[in-house]
Amino acid sequence: MTLWMIGNMAAHSVPSTLKRLLFAVKYSPLQSRCCAVQREAQYSTISIPSEKTFDKILIANRGEIACRVHVKMADEAVCVGSAPTSKSYLNMDAIMDAIRVTGAQAVHPGYGFLSENKEFAKRLAAEGVAFIGPDTHAIQAMGDKIESKLIAKAAKVNTIPGFDGVVKTAEEAVKIAQEIGYPVMIKASAGGGGKGMRIAWNDEETREGFRFSSQEAASSFGDDRLLIEKYIDNPRHIEIQVLADKHGNALWLNERECSIQRRNQKVVEEAPSTFLDPVTRRAMGEQAVQLAKAVQYSSAGTVEFLVDSKKNFYFLEMNTRLQVEHPITECITGLDLVEQMIRVAKGYQLQHTQDDIPINGWAIECRVYAEDPYKSFGLPSIGRLSQYQEPLDLDKVRVDSGIQEGSDISIYYDPMISKLITYGATRAEALGRMEDALDNYVIRGVTHNIPLLREIITHPRFVSGHISTNFLPEVYPDGFKGHQLEADAKRELLASAAVLYITAELRSAKVLGTQRVASTPVECSHWELCVELGEERQDVEISKSGTVYTVEMDGAKVEVWGALNLASPLLPLTINGTQRMLQCLSRDAAGVIVLQYLGTLFKVRVLSKLAAELNSYMPEKVSEDTSSILRSPMPGTVVAVSVKPGDTVAEGQEICVIEAMKMQNSLTAVKQAKVKSVHCKPGETVGEGDLLVELE
């Protein structure tokens, strides 16, 4: 694993892997970084050529946040250990050695890992190295959820009712939960990012939540302490970005709406919020600044609130670091938060006052993950990016990523591929651009969550702003199933597949300008085909006039034309006058075409009339009986196995626990049965689909 040192602002290529490297960067006078709302918006930060800053900064992180702090300008890279985080990015000794070797004067920690670790900040101070973040006392005060809540109360910040102490045992947790009243939130005292958090609605869920939250907290933060507080049903998660210097100045930089979540982790964010009015916004901002000043905060930080339907807001936690979703704040304010953090760490005063902070336009961020959205809204996927193309040719689109074509997504880190940000003068513009950006984003080699992201940002509830942290389970109570095709959309999809099939047949019929035998006659401009989607079969007739194909089915006509370049991953088509961007992931000799249409992958089979008739005689493949076997739904590490051969398990009983990308998942029996065999043991690494347990 490598740390990066930023260089003399000259562009350098990114190494083929961003796994275990720390980067070092030499900083000349600060320069504003365009918000990639391309060609139009520039940051308003004032660059002062005479302003001295650090000569060399170490970026103690990996992936997209390391790139955000200028990895592409790095001069040096230092390996700090092997893949497990405990041996690399959480290895303080190795990082301190990297600082000494490179002569770094400052460290930007990004987020996660050691970004909110007070011991790391103390060790940097002892070495005379600047920490590009708040002072250690602020990290300690706000990093502990129990202490931060007490400080917030003293600073007259609204807080959630709960138990202001450490919960030591599962039974104590049950007793406290009963006193507070269900539902309750169990969460890691030192946590963040959704790790170590569970909602409990009864005693049994409290015991289970205590166990998993403490294990996740120990794994992610090295601290298994937990607290319990009242869970506010149907809340919004709205956070305030703050910025403070070492001279007592502090600002609030408006809010970010972060209510779209799965497993307490954010998926879609936007700035500003559709819900807040100016009075509530100011009240939240002023309370956030009160809290920052109470702990003498300096640098960029985020104060998170839960907001109920009546706009009552309650302090949740303060993140003493740069936030994942900071780009949308940069887009609407024009401030480069990384630059501001560096200036503050160097000792400069803020360049702006509260009256200088605008809300210009609207910004949306989608977190693009290597996840299967059809499994619990996103279980991790691993693999190599065989093809990767970001939609950066679109206007007002920004992509913060730390990968490139050929990169590997492993089980050791967070599954985020990138942060996709779009900006517009209005929310409607930003959402429209996000829809286009998702359609133009090419990711091959891993399963990704673009189907879910696109459904979210086009759902009527989201478009109307009627959201809460319960949005996903409420909108998809039976789990996410992908885009549900209505009649017109289904005809568009089938027509597109049929046209692609004919295009391929026409192309394959010519080799070096000479005709060869093809399965479909090519001397005419009229074809009869059969198109299958799932269990449905549709007869279609296609005619071609110039560059326009007309597809007839069920008495309806669909006209298709466009750039039918079968070698391109993107297929810009016009279908009945509407512009669509489709992606063709694969085609095979059996007529199966996999298309990404409206964000979702569909497997369509196109056959000639004769082939369709003959295909009806083919035997159907018998599906595997999965009721007697348990396979791993994701790649990960076996944490615990709760059964052995001969045991009798009840329906819903835990069989084993798999940890994937810092999250623990309990796998349970789907029926009452006797355990026939166990094929895994604690500590083993398993892949998606690996057999874990067989039942009789």
Side-chain angles (χ1 to χ4, degrees):
M1 297 300 172
T2 310
L3 303 182
W4 299 71
M5 302 291 292
I6 301 182
N8 55 12
M9 305 304 278
H12 291 256
S13 63
V14 183
S16 60
T17 175
L18 290 178
K19 288 184 177 177
R20 301 174 295 280
L21 305 176
L22 298 187
F23 301 87
V25 187
K26 293 176 185 173
Y27 262 83
S28 52
L30 293 172
Q31 300 179 20
S32 294
R33 182 174 182 271
C34 178
C35 183
V37 286
Q38 305 159 344
R39 299 179 295 279
E40 293 186 20
Q42 295 284 333
Y43 287 132
S44 61
T45 300
I46 304 167
S47 295
I48 305 174
S50 61
E51 201 173 71
K52 291 180 65 66
T53 185
F54 303 107
D55 296 321
K56 186 180 285 189
I57 296 173
L58 184 80
I59 305 173
N61 218 297
R62 65 175 300 280
E64 60 84 17
I65 189 56
C67 290
R68 166 63 182 95
V69 192
H70 293 312
V71 159
K72 290 188 178 180
M73 300 177 180
D75 294 291
E76 303 170 54
V78 184
C79 185
V80 288
S82 56
T85 55
S86 61
K87 298 179 181 179
S88 53
Y89 294 110
L90 293 177
N91 186 342
M92 289 190 206
D93 291 337
I95 295 175
M96 296 307 298
D97 287 342
I99 292 169
R100 298 183 191 103
V101 168
T102 58
Q105 299 166 314
V107 171
H108 195 299
Y111 48 70
F113 298 129
L114 299 175
S115 62
E116 296 177 282
N117 188 297
K118 63 180 182 297
E119 296 304 322
F120 181 54
K122 286 179 181 178
R123 291 186 64 171
L124 291 177
E127 295 276 344
V129 177
F131 181 71
I132 302 178
D135 295 333
T136 54
H137 71 273
I139 296 174
Q140 179 173 346
M142 293 294 98
D144 187 305
K145 287 185 172 63
I146 297 170
E147 184 177 352
S148 66
K149 188 173 180 180
L150 295 174
I151 293 172
K153 281 184 177 180
K156 301 189 185 316
V157 177
N158 304 342
T159 58
I160 302 172
F163 177 71
D164 298 328
V166 177
V167 184
K168 299 177 181 178
T169 67
E171 292 311 311
E172 183 182 4
V174 169
K175 181 180 178 182
I176 293 170
Q178 291 173 344
E179 291 173 353
I180 295 173
Y182 287 111
V184 298
M185 174 69 81
I186 303 168
K187 56 186 176 182
S189 178
K195 305 293 192 303
M197 296 178 65
R198 290 289 192 283
I199 300 169
W201 296 80
N202 53 50
D203 293 352
E204 182 179 349
E205 290 183 3
T206 299
R207 293 186 183 92
E208 184 180 84
F210 180 90
R211 177 163 67 99
F212 284 123
S213 291
S214 59
Q215 290 172 354
E216 286 178 3
S219 174
S220 298
F221 315 113
D223 185 343
D224 64 357
R225 293 175 304 143
L226 301 178
L227 62 89
I228 298 180
E229 61 190 18
K230 181 71 175 177
Y231 174 69
I232 298 175
D233 206 6
N234 290 315
R236 286 176 178 260
H237 186 135
I238 300 177
E239 59 192 26
I240 301 291
Q241 176 72 57
V242 295
L243 181 65
D245 61 24
K246 300 179 185 296
H247 304 276
N249 303 306
L251 307 172
W252 49 275
L253 308 182
N254 304 309
E255 81 279 3
R256 294 186 289 256
E257 173 77 67
C258 306
S259 297
I260 306 299
Q261 304 179 1
R262 54 99 180 91
R263 297 193 302 278
N264 300 311
Q265 287 186 307
K266 303 161 190 172
V267 180
V268 178
E269 303 101 348
E270 62 182 304
S273 168
T274 61
F275 189 61
L276 296 191
D277 55 64
V279 173
T280 308
R281 176 179 295 115
R282 175 171 292 277
M284 293 177 70
E286 289 176 348
Q287 286 200 16
V289 167
Q290 286 170 209
L291 181 60
K293 289 185 174 181
V295 292
Q296 298 178 299
Y297 194 85
S298 60
S299 193
T302 300
V303 181
E304 300 192 349
F305 294 94
L306 290 182
V307 185
D308 67 20
S309 59
K310 297 181 180 179
K311 297 183 182 177
N312 298 308
F313 57 90
Y314 305 94
F315 170 71
L316 184 61
E317 63 181 346
M318 183 176 189
N319 292 301
T320 57
R321 54 170 168 79
L322 192 65
Q323 201 81 340
V324 175
E325 55 274 15
H326 77 274
I328 54 178
T329 294
E330 293 182 327
C331 286
I332 68 166
T333 63
L335 292 177
D336 184 323
L337 293 180
V338 171
E339 180 174 356
Q340 294 299 316
M341 293 176 75
I342 295 169
R343 292 190 74 262
V344 169
K346 188 62 177 175
Y348 294 111
Q349 294 189 44
L350 298 183
Q351 298 166 295
H352 303 84
T353 66
Q354 191 64 57
D355 291 339
D356 296 331
I357 307 304
I359 298 181
N360 288 330
W362 214 284
I364 311 285
E365 175 178 295
C366 284
R367 299 192 187 189
V368 180
Y369 282 108
E371 291 183 336
D372 186 344
Y374 300 95
K375 297 178 180 177
S376 300
F377 300 114
L379 292 184
S381 170
I382 62 172
R384 176 166 294 178
L385 290 166
S386 57
Q387 194 170 14
Y388 184 74
Q389 182 177 312
E390 297 173 349
L392 291 175
D393 57 331
L394 302 180
D395 190 37
K396 297 185 178 179
V397 173
R398 166 176 170 176
V399 183
D400 284 15
S401 64
I403 47 86
Q404 59 190 17
E405 196 167 292
S407 294
D408 288 316
I409 307 294
S410 77
I411 66 171
Y412 296 105
Y413 307 110
D414 187 275
M416 184 186 292
I417 294 174
S418 72
K419 301 181 305 196
L420 178 63
I421 303 102
T422 58
Y423 174 82
T426 65
R427 186 171 186 260
E429 281 186 20
L431 285 174
R433 290 192 171 107
M434 180 60 74
E435 189 175 338
D436 290 342
L438 290 169
D439 286 342
N440 281 268
Y441 206 143
V442 178
I443 303 173
R444 307 279 192 273
V446 297
T447 305
H448 54 78
N449 69 332
I450 283 179
L452 176 61
L453 295 174
R454 197 184 189 283
E455 286 300 295
I456 290 171
I457 62 119
T458 58
H459 194 279
R461 269 190 59 177
F462 183 84
V463 173
S464 68
H466 178 49
I467 61 176
S468 75
T469 56
N470 295 321
F471 178 88
L472 289 178
E474 288 177 355
V475 172
Y476 308 106
D478 300 320
F480 179 65
K481 308 295 184 184
H483 184 78
Q484 302 303 298
L485 294 171
E486 296 182 351
D488 288 346
K490 185 179 295 184
R491 281 192 288 268
E492 282 190 10
L493 174 63
L494 299 182
S496 300
V499 168
L500 283 176
Y501 176 86
I502 292 298
T503 301
E505 289 293 306
L506 291 173
R507 187 182 70 169
S508 66
K510 292 184 179 181
V511 178
L512 298 178
T514 61
Q515 295 290 326
R516 67 178 177 83
V517 177
S519 60
T520 300
V522 297
E523 64 275 3
C524 65
S525 58
H526 183 271
W527 302 269
E528 293 184 354
L529 301 173
C530 180
V531 184
E532 298 175 352
L533 177 63
E535 300 297 322
E536 297 183 34
R537 177 175 295 183
Q538 180 70 54
D539 292 329
V540 302
E541 292 186 13
I542 304 178
S543 57
K544 185 173 185 286
S545 176
T547 60
V548 179
Y549 290 87
T550 300
V551 184
E552 295 187 51
M553 64 182 84
D554 276 345
K557 291 185 178 181
V558 180
E559 290 190 339
V560 180
W561 70 92
L564 291 164
N565 180 359
L566 299 179
S568 172
L570 297 173
L571 296 170
L573 301 179
T574 300
I575 308 174
N576 281 347
T578 301
Q579 292 183 339
R580 301 285 191 196
M581 182 63 75
L582 280 71
Q583 297 187 31
C584 182
L585 279 73
S586 65
R587 294 179 293 111
D588 65 20
V592 176
I593 302 175
V594 179
L595 289 174
Q596 182 173 308
Y597 169 71
L598 301 179
T600 294
L601 297 186
F602 294 96
K603 183 183 291 186
V604 183
R605 192 177 188 191
V606 185
L607 300 170
S608 66
K609 274 292 189 68
L610 176 60
E613 292 174 7
L614 295 176
N615 188 63
S616 64
Y617 296 102
M618 296 293 289
E620 292 186 8
K621 183 179 179 181
V622 179
S623 299
E624 180 184 34
D625 179 11
T626 58
S627 63
S628 297
I629 59 174
L630 178 67
R631 295 187 182 277
S632 179
M634 76 210 85
T637 302
V638 179
V639 175
V641 179
S642 307
V643 299
K644 62 182 183 301
D647 288 352
T648 298
V649 294
E651 181 180 349
Q653 181 178 333
E654 179 180 290
I655 290 180
C656 62
V657 177
I658 304 292
E659 182 174 84
M661 298 177 177
K662 303 179 185 178
M663 296 294 285
Q664 295 197 356
N665 303 272
S666 175
L667 306 184
T668 60
V670 298
K671 67 177 182 179
Q672 181 174 335
K674 191 175 183 179
V675 177
K676 179 180 179 181
S677 57
V678 177
H679 299 270
C680 61
K681 58 184 178 181
E684 280 188 342
T685 299
V686 296
E688 181 179 355
D690 283 1
L691 180 62
L692 302 176
V693 174
E694 288 184 274
L695 304 176
E696 292 184 353

